[in-house]
Amino acid sequence: MSSIVLFGPPGAGKGTQASAIMQKTGLPQVSTGDMLRNALANQTELGLEAKEYMEAGKLVPDELIISLIHERLKEEDAIHGVLFDGFPRTISQAESLAKITTVSMVISIQVPDEKIIERIVGRRMDPETGEIYHVVFKPAPEELKSRLIQRKDDNESTVRSRLEAYHSQTAPLADYYNKLGILENIDGDQNIIEVTNSIINLLV
Ligand code: AP5
């Protein structure tokens, strides 16, 4: 079992790029953000516990995230590895992950902070398909626009907290994975197709 990690600041384009990687590798996407939002929508104990952290733009405690991942990796589709999106986010999460699966590549998508805010504030999601749009950079088809939603944490003040959490707790992981020789840096400050092409080149 060998997995890939999609790494980068909030709004870097991890979710956007995940589908091309899934298509290329056949690995299922495991997004801790999506799993937490589902848990919250279903009012589970985990979802309710995670809510205040997510709405404040803070990281959810490691032990909650690690047990979520433990359970997810027991599922049949994870047997040959998965594509992690937004996990791990702390050194402690990475160390726990190393005990349960092999990570063969960490794709780090880097975007300057000043570009992140406009990406996140303009993001819209299709709740029926999970498709990610942007009011300027990836407009949704006209007929879908009325059903699009905006994430509760996609506002400027929460994004600033998420960026702070990223720089203090998550960015050090780049060094951790670089030392293991598996970090691949991608310039995320290009258009969506250019970023996809750079990533696909890594996977051939
Ligand atoms: P999570 O859902 O993981 O959010 P995130 O990491 O902040 O990442 P995003 O989903 O915001 O961004 P993305 O990189 O996927 O960007 P996207 O492709 O959508 O986490 C949410 C919260 O859950 C966290 O704050 C935390 O509380 C908690 N959490 C989750 N995992 C956790 C963990 N492991 N540990 C602890 N807590 C955890 O793109 C963004 C926008 O930009 C879109 O509109 C898109 O269309 C546009 N876009 C994408 N690429 C480009 C491009 N190249 N050019 C122009 N626009 C682009």
Side-chain angles (χ1 to χ4, degrees), residues 109-150:
I109 307 177
Q110 290 310 313
V111 177
D113 283 7
E114 63 271 17
K115 300 275 177 84
I116 297 284
I117 308 236
E118 65 170 333
R119 282 198 189 183
I120 289 202
V121 172
R123 172 166 51 191
R124 300 291 182 272
M125 321 275 292
D126 183 338
E128 284 184 33
T129 62
E131 189 69 31
I132 303 165
Y133 295 101
H134 190 280
V135 290
V136 176
F137 305 127
K138 192 183 170 188
E142 208 52 50
E143 65 275 16
L144 296 185
K145 281 188 177 160
S146 60
R147 73 180 196 205
L148 300 185
I149 53 161
Q150 188 170 20

Side-chain angles (χ1 to χ4, degrees), residues 9-16 32-33 36-37 53-54 58-60 65 86-87 89 93 119-120 123 132-134 137-138 151 153 162 188 190-192 195:
K14 303 181 292 296
T16 298
T32 40
L36 292 168
R37 279 184 289 280
Y53 295 97
M54 296 173 78
K58 293 183 179 159
L59 293 187
V60 173
I65 299 290
F87 173 86
R89 262 169 142 106
Q93 290 181 16
R119 282 198 189 183
I120 289 202
R123 172 166 51 191
I132 303 165
Y133 295 101
H134 190 280
F137 305 127
K138 192 183 170 188
R151 265 168 54 178
D153 59 346
R162 284 156 67 191
Q190 322 172 67
N191 71 40
I192 294 177
V195 177

Side-chain angles (χ1 to χ4, degrees), residues 1 29 42 52 54 92 95 111 127 154 157 188:
M1 166 164 161
Q29 178 187 14
N42 292 319
E52 61 173 296
M54 296 173 78
S92 161
E95 287 172 347
V111 177
D154 278 357
S157 85

Side-chain angles (χ1 to χ4, degrees), residues 128-202:
E128 284 184 33
T129 62
E131 189 69 31
I132 303 165
Y133 295 101
H134 190 280
V135 290
V136 176
F137 305 127
K138 192 183 170 188
E142 208 52 50
E143 65 275 16
L144 296 185
K145 281 188 177 160
S146 60
R147 73 180 196 205
L148 300 185
I149 53 161
Q150 188 170 20
R151 265 168 54 178
K152 208 169 178 182
D153 59 346
D154 278 357
N155 59 73
E156 192 166 335
S157 85
T158 311
V159 178
R160 290 196 191 280
S161 306
R162 284 156 67 191
L163 275 171
E164 224 174 276
Y166 172 77
H167 287 297
S168 60
Q169 292 167 274
T170 306
L173 272 177
D175 204 35
Y176 172 93
Y177 282 121
N178 196 26
K179 284 187 181 136
L180 295 178
I182 54 172
L183 184 77
E184 299 286 352
N185 284 305
I186 293 288
D187 177 9
D189 191 11
Q190 322 172 67
N191 71 40
I192 294 177
I193 292 169
E194 288 168 335
V195 177
T196 305
N197 289 339
S198 308
I199 292 176
I200 295 299
N201 283 339
L202 290 175

